[in-house]
Amino acid sequence: MATERKIYDKFRIFGIPISYCDTKQALEFVGKSIKNNETNSIYTPCLESLALYNTNDAFADASDNVDLSIVDGITLVIMSKFTKYPLHERITGATFVVEIIREFNETAKFFVVGSKPENLEIAFAKLHKDFPKMKGIEYYSSPFYKGFFPQEEVDIVIKKINESNANVVFFALGAPKQEILIKAVKPFVKANILMSCGGTFEFIGGVVKRAPKRIQKMGLEWAFRIYSEPNRMIKRYAWQAKVFFIVVFKSIFGIKRKKLPSLNNN
């Protein structure tokens, strides 16, 4: 008997949890979280996330506890076709952030944790131009830490979020730091949505160029990034590919990995 696919059900692709939904349903999830005054987390996994899930225990733990996990990477969308939960679309984090702001800018307040102040100011100016009735958007640009944040910095982030009275908080720190931080602050903040978004605001402000839309639709954004930043991205993608092939190899030959916790589906 075929598995009944319910919206927001979670399934796994080589370990990492994925939620079964499309863009419209993901936006409805945000709206319901705000309306019901809940605090929910949203991650946007890609191939890097899969690699991190299989190499970083703190990231894996955070991913196992996320409320909504929408697929950013085209590779994961393709792999979903071989599961009982084939996804119909890729929901890029950068695009989804703008969709959230477009949908809720007149009724919700936004807050950003991370990124550089000068980049955020450029992005905010563009957002205010595009959405002149926007209720409010603020930020806290935390100091750089090589490892994860010390507890005193986590406490500052919690305080800043609560003082902002924001409904939606975007964490622009890059993986795995942003996902681990979201898990750490979630029990202590009043915001309704805590979402990882990486370099989204650099894209919004044009500080970093995004691939042309036709390249995005083809799922070749990674190739554009290698072309734009070869020294940094080749090393990064090579590591992701290495871990990916190791994970696939182990799966094919039945090599056991750590026991995975059960997924709590809505």
Side-chain angles (χ1 to χ4, degrees), residues 18-231:
I18 303 296
S19 298
Y20 181 72
C21 68
D22 58 23
T23 300
K24 180 182 176 181
Q25 292 152 352
L27 281 172
E28 289 173 351
F29 179 88
V30 174
K32 288 177 183 177
S33 298
I34 295 173
K35 181 180 178 181
N36 297 333
N37 197 27
E38 301 169 346
T39 299
N40 289 315
S41 54
I42 301 177
Y43 295 167
T44 55
C46 57
L47 189 60
E48 180 183 22
S49 307
L50 188 151
L52 284 167
Y53 188 91
N54 287 276
T55 57
N56 186 307
D57 288 342
F59 179 84
D61 183 55
S63 297
D64 283 334
N65 287 278
V66 71
D67 296 298
L68 190 72
S69 184
I70 57 176
V71 169
D72 185 294
I74 190 64
T75 305
L76 296 182
V77 174
I78 294 170
M79 286 192 286
S80 77
K81 306 299 183 184
F82 299 96
T83 72
K84 296 178 181 179
Y85 291 84
L87 297 169
H88 301 296
E89 66 172 307
R90 171 192 179 206
I91 309 175
T92 66
T95 300
F96 192 60
V97 166
V98 176
E99 288 300 317
I100 290 175
I101 295 173
R102 187 190 312 279
E103 184 76 15
F104 303 103
N105 73 90
E106 295 184 31
T107 56
K109 291 186 69 177
F110 306 107
F111 193 78
V112 180
V113 176
S115 192
K116 295 179 180 179
E118 58 269 29
N119 293 348
L120 290 173
E121 293 293 348
I122 295 170
F124 287 5
K126 185 177 187 306
L127 288 170
H128 279 294
K129 183 179 179 181
D130 292 343
F131 308 107
K133 295 182 180 181
M134 185 161 59
K135 189 174 181 180
I137 184 167
E138 301 174 21
Y139 70 86
Y140 171 63
S141 188
S142 55
F144 175 77
Y145 294 94
K146 189 174 182 180
F148 185 63
F149 291 158
Q151 185 57 48
E152 55 265 30
E153 184 63 26
V154 174
D155 292 339
I156 290 172
V157 171
I158 292 169
K159 182 180 178 183
K160 294 288 185 181
I161 291 172
N162 286 334
E163 287 177 347
S164 75
N165 291 314
N167 302 100
V168 180
V169 183
F170 301 112
F171 289 73
L173 296 161
K177 191 176 291 184
Q178 57 194 12
E179 290 82 7
I180 298 171
L181 181 60
I182 288 173
K183 182 176 183 293
V185 306
K186 185 184 174 187
F188 308 103
V189 297
K190 297 177 289 186
N192 307 120
I193 291 292
L194 309 174
M195 177 179 168
S196 63
C197 71
T200 290
F201 287 90
E202 278 70 26
F203 290 136
I204 290 174
V207 176
V208 175
K209 282 191 175 182
R210 249 190 118 177
K213 288 193 179 296
R214 68 179 183 278
I215 293 179
Q216 294 179 37
K217 289 179 180 179
M218 293 168 64
L220 295 174
E221 206 162 357
W222 59 270
F224 180 83
R225 296 192 68 185
I226 289 177
Y227 172 78
S228 302
E229 303 177 82
N231 292 334

